Amino acid sequence: MLGFLSARQAGLVDPLCLRRAESTRRVLGLELNKDRDVERIHGSGVNTLDIEPVEGRYMLSGGSDGVIVLYDLENSSRQPYYTCKAVCSIGRDHPDVHKYSVETVQWYPHDTGMFTSSSFDKTLKVWDTNTLQAADVFNFEETVYSHHMSPVATKHCLVAVGTKGPKVQLCDLKSGSCSHILRGIFLFQTTTNLSKPFNKRKHY
């Protein structure tokens, strides 16, 4: 690493090269926490996790079985080795459970009383954390792959939803409707240089 820093200071290496080297070093140095475990609830793979930003205490997990689990990460036992317990879950017997795989879960950025989930069943659901009931459901015509809420937005409650099609839909939690649709655009650039003909497509 010192060699990289010296080379960078001398202008011999690109800054991205140093960034990649440091990122690779950190990734290769990752290890599982040997003092903490998580209670197994999901019957199959876990697709998504999110830790609430208010206290950093509660974690959501969404699985390919359609189940959503809420965990308490706090060490209430005060023991050096402990297992994070599941506080509650939205299981297969829940009336509002997702029919198919849950792809994204996210806490509401400013309050742990609400969280969202999206699934291959073409829905985005808004959940009341206290009752574990679906407060609102947004239905889409195509498979939902992901969604996200801005952690810094204070003047709107928009959720960006990515589906199978080339568009992003903005859902307004206040009105309960889809307010905007952002469509992808493909631009084609060609050249008449006969020595090096090509047809290049750019994605924006």
Side-chain angles (χ1 to χ4, degrees):
M1 185 55 64
L2 291 178
F4 267 112
L5 291 175
S6 300
R8 176 67 194 122
Q9 187 176 15
L12 300 177
V13 297
D14 187 271
L16 292 178
C17 183
L18 176 61
R19 181 184 299 178
R20 284 194 296 267
E22 176 62 15
S23 299
T24 301
R25 185 187 68 83
R26 293 186 181 187
V27 169
L28 294 178
L30 290 175
E31 293 182 355
L32 291 175
N33 192 325
K34 299 178 181 179
D35 302 330
R36 182 185 300 187
D37 198 3
V38 177
E39 184 180 3
R40 270 60 170 173
I41 301 295
H42 292 283
S44 54
V46 175
N47 294 333
T48 175
L49 298 170
D50 190 41
I51 298 176
E52 50 90 6
V54 179
E55 299 179 74
R57 174 176 176 178
Y58 297 104
M59 179 178 73
L60 290 169
S61 68
S64 57
D65 52 3
V67 174
I68 300 173
V69 184
L70 192 157
Y71 293 94
D72 187 351
L73 303 180
E74 186 176 43
N75 182 7
S76 57
S77 66
R78 305 303 177 188
Q79 299 297 319
Y81 305 99
Y82 66 101
T83 299
C84 299
K85 297 294 185 180
V87 178
C88 54
S89 65
I90 301 173
R92 297 308 308 169
D93 57 345
H94 193 285
D96 297 324
V97 68
H98 283 290
K99 296 179 181 179
Y100 305 124
S101 173
V102 175
E103 295 304 300
T104 307
V105 291
Q106 185 184 11
W107 288 99
Y108 183 65
H110 310 295
D111 186 3
T112 57
M114 184 172 69
F115 65 91
T116 55
S117 65
S118 57
S119 166
F120 271 8
D121 62 7
K122 304 179 181 180
T123 64
L124 166 71
K125 295 188 178 184
V126 183
W127 300 89
D128 184 320
T129 308
N130 297 312
T131 63
L132 287 186
Q133 300 296 320
D136 204 351
V137 180
F138 294 85
N139 294 283
F140 302 89
E141 297 179 355
E142 299 173 309
T143 301
V144 178
Y145 287 128
S146 180
H147 77 272
H148 187 72
M149 288 181 286
S150 171
V152 296
T154 57
K155 296 183 179 180
H156 66 75
C157 294
L158 297 178
V159 183
V161 182
T163 61
K164 185 178 180 180
K167 60 186 176 183
V168 174
Q169 301 185 56
L170 300 182
C171 298
D172 192 339
L173 298 184
K174 291 183 178 180
S175 64
S177 62
C178 180
S179 59
H180 297 81
I181 296 179
L182 309 178
R183 299 188 183 277
I185 300 176
F186 297 95
L187 297 183
F188 293 86
Q189 179 180 358
T190 60
T191 180
T192 57
N193 187 346
L194 298 180
S195 61
K196 293 182 179 180
F198 69 95
N199 185 2
K200 187 177 181 181
R201 182 170 69 177
K202 291 185 177 180
H203 298 268
Y204 292 86

